[in-house]
Amino acid sequence: MVTTRAVAGITGGGEAASGASEHRTVSEAYALHTATLPFSALNTATTTTRTEGTATRTLKTTRSFDAWGNITAEISHGRTDKDGDEVLVATDYTVNTAEYIMSLPHLQRTYAGTDLTGTLLKQTQFFYDGQAYRTAPSNGSLTTRRDDTTTSSYQTSTFDYDTYGNRLAATVSGDETTSWSRRRPRRIHSIGTTLATGRRWTNPTTPACFTARSRPIPT
């Protein structure tokens, strides 16, 4: 199934211009599964065509999905009249069918080109619930994230939670920590950031704690 929407040129007053020479058309392609439950409509491609005056450019993105409807590969083809600007984002998932945790990735990679043979541009690993890499999540709380900085090194971010699953702290590469303080299980009282130098800034989020202009309070 394909759906298309068009947007005409807009004047400064916010209305479509008469005889506008600028417009954008977006076409969405879907793969439909309607034979049995669960029904699905997966957005497999987006094509955007933009016309400005006499110039027309078309951009295209295609997507692949796993059995759970997660995007496993998204290819940005860039301009369809040019080669060399394609980028692939590939995502791998570990699912927990018993708890129906189906959409959390454990690995995401970005490549130049349209397949896994291209140059690796970016790679991120995700760890959940304090468990080993690729272990199926039990609660779904992201506890460690590793972002590759070179082919042999990476930056690690860690996250802590309370018993309700609310995030309490996020530490980036062991240097900077952001913490969330709550007076109630789901209500944030203040947000604090501690730098590697030991300097800490607190940003209250309740009216009684605000300073002039709601600026962070150094502590």
Side-chain angles (χ1 to χ4, degrees), residues 4-200:
T4 302
R5 64 182 186 274
V7 181
I10 304 299
T11 66
E15 298 180 353
S18 175
S21 60
E22 175 184 344
H23 71 271
R24 179 168 58 94
T25 301
V26 180
S27 178
E28 306 282 6
Y30 294 87
L32 302 181
H33 177 77
T34 59
T36 58
L37 292 174
F39 301 144
S40 64
L42 302 178
N43 184 198
T44 55
T46 301
T47 303
T48 303
T49 301
R50 188 181 184 94
T51 300
E52 297 185 19
T54 60
T56 298
R57 297 289 183 267
T58 299
L59 307 176
K60 187 172 184 178
T61 299
T62 56
R63 305 173 189 88
S64 300
F65 299 82
D66 63 15
W68 308 106
N70 299 309
I71 298 176
T72 55
E74 183 172 76
I75 302 174
S76 174
H77 297 270
R79 285 174 50 177
T80 56
D81 62 326
K82 297 285 186 180
D83 292 325
D85 58 349
E86 300 86 1
V87 175
L88 163 67
V89 177
T91 307
D92 298 336
Y93 303 83
T94 299
V95 301
N96 182 337
T97 55
E99 297 295 334
Y100 208 77
I101 302 175
M102 322 302 290
S103 60
L104 298 180
H106 65 254
L107 177 64
Q108 189 168 78
R109 295 162 291 171
T110 302
Y111 294 89
T114 60
D115 56 42
L116 302 181
T117 64
T119 301
L120 180 63
L121 304 176
K122 180 181 179 181
Q123 177 168 286
T124 303
Q125 297 176 332
F126 304 90
F127 302 70
Y128 299 94
D129 307 316
Q131 302 182 97
Y133 180 56
R134 290 180 181 264
T135 301
S138 55
N139 294 314
S141 296
L142 176 66
T143 47
T144 302
R145 170 177 171 153
R146 290 180 179 172
D147 295 280
D148 285 10
T149 53
T150 68
T151 55
S152 58
S153 62
Y154 52 81
Q155 174 179 281
T156 300
S157 301
T158 57
F159 309 92
D160 297 317
Y161 301 83
D162 63 17
T163 56
Y164 298 96
N166 299 307
R167 184 172 291 180
L168 295 178
T171 301
V172 179
S173 194
D175 294 331
E176 179 178 313
T177 298
T178 299
S179 58
W180 292 263
S181 174
R182 290 175 169 81
R183 285 182 171 174
R184 298 180 183 177
R186 298 190 180 278
R187 178 173 295 179
I188 296 176
H189 169 58
S190 63
I191 302 173
T193 300
T194 303
L195 305 180
T197 59
R199 184 71 167 174
R200 178 175 173 80

